[in-house]
Amino acid sequence: MSSYIALLIIVATAIFVIRSLKVVPQQHAWVVERLGKYHSTLTPGLSILIPFVDRVAYKHSLKEIPLDVPSQICITRDNTQLQVDGILYFQVTDPMRASYGSSNYIVAVTQLAQTSLRSVIGKLELDKTFEERDIINAQVVQAIDEAALNWGVKVLRYEIKDLTPPKEILHAMQSQITAEREKRALIAASEGRRQEQINIATGEREAYIARSEGEKQSIINKAQGEAASITAVAEATAMAIERIAAAIRQPGGEQAVQLKVAERAVDAYSKVAADSTTTLIVPSNMSETSALIASAMRMVQGTKPA
């Protein structure tokens, strides 16, 4: 009998210990009620309760929770239907409010996310809904977060997974995109042809300028060469005249000139006489030849310095 009582005491003690000791995991919070009333919130670690007086009423995870928001039909400002679905990320920040602020905070957050999304999209036109997803997400988070404070929940972000317009609208949008792409292709082709014509014209102009510059330089070089040639000939002629003049001033120079002039005259008569087609008239007075020589000598003497 005594062993039976001892066994009961051991069992009762074990039950008492089990109900008294509670180990809360990391990133969790447990709400304790004492005699049906909120008493405390247990944090991670070992905690001691009073058996049959305290009980763990609610267990909450403090991790970030992804919540899939069901797909729904939204109407835009220009009366176009859109099928929208998204995902919501939230976190329990106040375990006591999460336990007593709402009968089911997950359902409450989901419903609020859907109604907020319909309200935000109803203010936008169809094209804006595709362009301003970030604005839609931010406005939904702001609308939910204000109401979720009473539920002990912090909404972190909302992301639209898909926006699906009706098939007719989708077909029209695809046709518009195709037309825009064809337009851009035509513009790009015309710009390419325009640039090609500009490049060709620029190349021809630069080639013409290069040819004209080459011709100009060629003419300049030719003119400079002719000028240099004329200068050289003039300098050679001047030097020859100076040497002749210097030779005439030497003793016997005038006689040498007379002899040279006479030789040239005789050569001229001989060449004329050698031509069978030329009639030669010999002057009756050969003294005219001497007069010609004398005239030439006077010209030579006139070149002497005074």
Side-chain angles (χ1 to χ4, degrees):
M1 184 68 179
S2 60
S3 61
Y4 180 73
I5 295 174
L7 180 62
L8 288 178
I9 294 173
I10 293 173
V11 172
T13 304
I15 294 173
F16 184 85
V17 171
I18 292 173
R19 295 182 66 90
S20 299
L21 299 178
K22 299 294 181 182
V23 178
V24 181
Q26 182 67 31
Q27 285 295 94
H28 285 75
W30 293 0
V31 175
V32 177
E33 292 181 352
R34 175 168 292 180
L35 299 177
K37 183 180 179 181
Y38 172 77
H39 174 64
S40 63
T41 300
L42 301 182
T43 57
L46 179 64
S47 300
I48 299 176
L49 303 179
I50 301 176
F52 307 106
V53 177
D54 297 336
R55 75 180 185 93
V56 176
Y58 300 96
K59 296 181 179 181
H60 298 286
S61 174
L62 302 182
K63 299 177 182 178
E64 183 176 340
I65 302 173
L67 178 63
D68 191 9
V69 180
S71 177
Q72 61 177 333
I73 299 297
C74 301
I75 299 177
T76 63
R77 184 178 179 182
D78 49 357
N79 296 324
T80 302
Q81 293 184 351
L82 279 178
Q83 185 174 0
V84 186
D85 61 345
I87 185 168
L88 183 69
Y89 297 87
F90 69 95
Q91 187 177 24
V92 175
T93 56
D94 191 338
M96 191 272 287
R97 288 190 177 185
S99 301
Y100 304 104
S102 174
S103 60
N104 191 330
Y105 63 85
I106 295 179
V107 175
V109 169
T110 302
Q111 294 296 324
L112 186 58
Q114 289 182 313
T115 56
S116 301
L117 180 63
R118 286 196 297 266
S119 176
V120 172
I121 290 182
K123 300 176 183 178
L124 300 174
E125 296 180 354
L126 177 62
D127 294 338
K128 293 296 184 180
T129 58
F130 295 98
E131 298 174 1
E132 300 181 356
R133 286 196 177 192
D134 293 339
I135 297 177
I136 296 174
N137 296 336
Q139 291 181 357
V140 171
V141 169
Q142 182 180 1
I144 300 175
D145 200 31
E146 293 176 356
L149 291 176
N150 295 327
W151 305 333
V153 174
K154 172 67 176 176
V155 178
L156 302 176
R157 59 187 181 277
Y158 177 82
E159 296 292 339
I160 295 177
K161 292 196 298 184
D162 193 15
L163 287 172
T164 306
K167 294 182 180 180
E168 297 78 7
I169 301 297
L170 185 60
H171 179 70
M173 293 174 63
Q174 291 176 348
S175 300
Q176 182 180 1
I177 293 173
T178 302
E180 287 293 332
R181 289 178 177 175
E182 292 177 353
K183 176 183 176 182
R184 289 196 295 267
L186 291 175
I187 293 174
S190 63
E191 289 292 335
R193 289 192 296 269
R194 174 176 173 270
Q195 190 62 41
E196 179 184 4
Q197 295 297 326
I198 292 175
N199 293 340
I200 292 174
T202 303
E204 292 178 351
R205 180 172 62 86
E206 292 178 354
Y208 178 78
I209 293 174
R211 287 195 299 269
S212 63
E213 289 291 336
E215 293 175 357
K216 173 184 175 183
Q217 191 62 40
S218 177
I219 294 172
I220 292 174
N221 294 340
K222 183 178 180 181
Q224 291 177 349
E226 292 178 353
S229 177
I230 293 172
T231 302
V233 171
E235 291 177 353
T237 303
M239 292 178 62
I241 293 173
E242 289 179 358
R243 291 183 179 180
I244 292 172
I248 292 174
R249 288 193 293 269
Q250 297 295 326
E254 294 183 1
Q255 291 78 7
V257 172
Q258 292 177 0
L259 178 60
K260 191 67 175 178
V261 172
E263 289 178 353
R264 291 293 180 90
V266 172
D267 290 339
Y269 279 119
S270 63
K271 290 179 180 179
V272 173
D275 191 355
S276 59
T277 60
T278 303
T279 303
L280 178 62
I281 300 174
V282 179
S284 59
N285 187 5
M286 293 301 293
S287 61
E288 293 181 2
T289 302
S290 300
L292 178 61
I293 295 173
S295 178
M297 290 303 300
R298 283 195 297 274
M299 292 177 62
V300 170
Q301 291 175 355
T303 59
K304 293 181 179 181

